[in-house]
Amino acid sequence: DGGITQSPKYLFRKEGQNVTLSCEQNLNHDAMYWYRQDPGQGLRLIYYSQIVNDFQKGDIAEGYSVSREKKESFPLTVTSAQKNPTAFYLCATKDRNEETQYFGPGTRLLVL
Amino acid sequence: AQSVAQPEDQVNVAEGNPLTVKCTYSVSGNPYLFWYVQYPNRGLQFLLKYITGDNLVKGSYGFEAEFNKSQTSFHLKKPSALVSDSALYFCATRGGWGKFQFGAGTQVVVTP
């Protein structure tokens, strides 16, 4: 966890609603990642960003969107097009000179 | 494509006994391998990594892992398990653009 914060800890989404998950870091890391965790499936990559103002789709990007306007921030929006959004969402960061990814504490998204 | 596999959904061990969590990899080129631990409703914590060098890698909390190229394995080990080691453990490999591929995870249960 350390210098990576995710908010809120729990988030409830109504049918047809877009919701945004926050990820902020003070580690000065260039790369940031969003993962989705479902029981028994490990972590799956949604989006990633190597540098400000640039991001790429991961393995399960459909129904999600991101922005990277600042180095410190990489918010994830879960759109109404994501039909099964209930999951634990994890943000991670990586320094350009290191191989290890470091994770935030996560946000659990539940559908009302 | 880079991938890792964790063949056991759950490992049960008595406190004080050795703990082993298995991971095999399928990687083109030199593998970059990682172990993480996750406690309930928390983010992933980095334990150790293998990039190059000695096949026995030492990490946090008394854990170590052995890289075996001939068996394409990277098993996590601890000589004497603690009840507090009960958690979900993930093996991962790094692919292009710093993207990670995670195994499905192994639940470790240490009984007193």
Side-chain angles (χ1 to χ4, degrees):
Chain A
D1 301 5
I4 305 169
T5 57
Q6 291 187 242
S7 61
K9 187 174 178 67
Y10 294 95
L11 184 58
F12 298 90
R13 193 190 91 164
K14 296 179 181 178
E15 202 70 36
Q17 186 181 40
N18 293 352
V19 292
T20 298
L21 286 62
S22 170
C23 178
E24 303 279 332
Q25 55 113 350
N26 63 5
L27 302 172
N28 200 35
H29 287 176
D30 292 292
M32 298 185 74
Y33 307 81
W34 273 106
Y35 293 92
R36 170 179 171 141
Q37 183 179 14
D38 296 281
Q41 293 192 45
L43 278 68
R44 294 181 289 169
L45 182 64
I46 305 172
Y47 268 97
Y48 64 104
S49 169
Q50 300 285 322
I51 196 171
V52 175
N53 292 322
D54 187 44
F55 50 82
Q56 285 78 40
K57 293 181 179 179
D59 300 321
I60 56 164
E62 186 175 351
Y64 300 97
S65 65
V66 293
S67 62
R68 186 84 187 277
E69 297 177 0
K70 299 186 300 182
K71 188 175 187 178
E72 301 79 19
S73 178
F74 191 40
L76 173 74
T77 296
V78 184
T79 75
S80 57
Q82 174 48 247
K83 297 307 179 187
N84 184 23
T86 298
F88 192 51
Y89 290 85
L90 289 158
C91 175
T93 70
K94 188 182 84 66
D95 183 81
R96 71 170 69 184
N97 296 316
E98 197 187 340
E99 301 301 333
T100 305
Q101 288 188 16
Y102 297 94
F103 284 80
T107 292
R108 187 164 297 281
L109 177 60
L110 300 166
V111 177
L112 294 176
Chain B
Q2 322 284 68
S3 67
V4 292
Q6 295 179 242
E8 299 161 316
D9 292 335
Q10 183 165 315
V11 169
N12 298 300
V13 62
E15 188 174 30
N17 282 0
L19 169 63
T20 298
V21 187
K22 296 179 180 178
C23 174
T24 59
Y25 65 88
S26 175
V27 168
S28 56
N30 294 323
Y32 288 21
L33 298 165
F34 303 80
W35 275 104
Y36 289 83
V37 61
Q38 184 182 35
Y39 295 96
N41 293 310
R42 301 289 298 276
L44 275 65
Q45 295 179 30
F46 169 70
L47 285 177
L48 51 80
K49 66 183 175 187
Y50 173 83
I51 305 298
T52 186
D54 290 341
N55 290 340
L56 186 62
V57 179
K58 294 191 181 297
S60 306
Y61 313 119
F63 284 94
E64 58 188 29
E66 185 172 6
F67 173 71
N68 188 315
K69 189 172 183 178
S70 63
Q71 297 185 7
T72 62
S73 67
F74 188 57
H75 299 334
L76 181 71
K77 300 180 181 183
K78 188 172 184 180
S80 179
L82 302 172
V83 172
S84 58
D85 293 327
S86 298
L88 186 57
Y89 290 80
F90 289 99
C91 179
T93 185
R94 194 214 75 171
W97 300 106
K99 295 193 296 180
F100 278 27
Q101 292 292 330
F102 287 85
T106 298
Q107 184 69 48
V108 170
V109 178
V110 182
T111 52

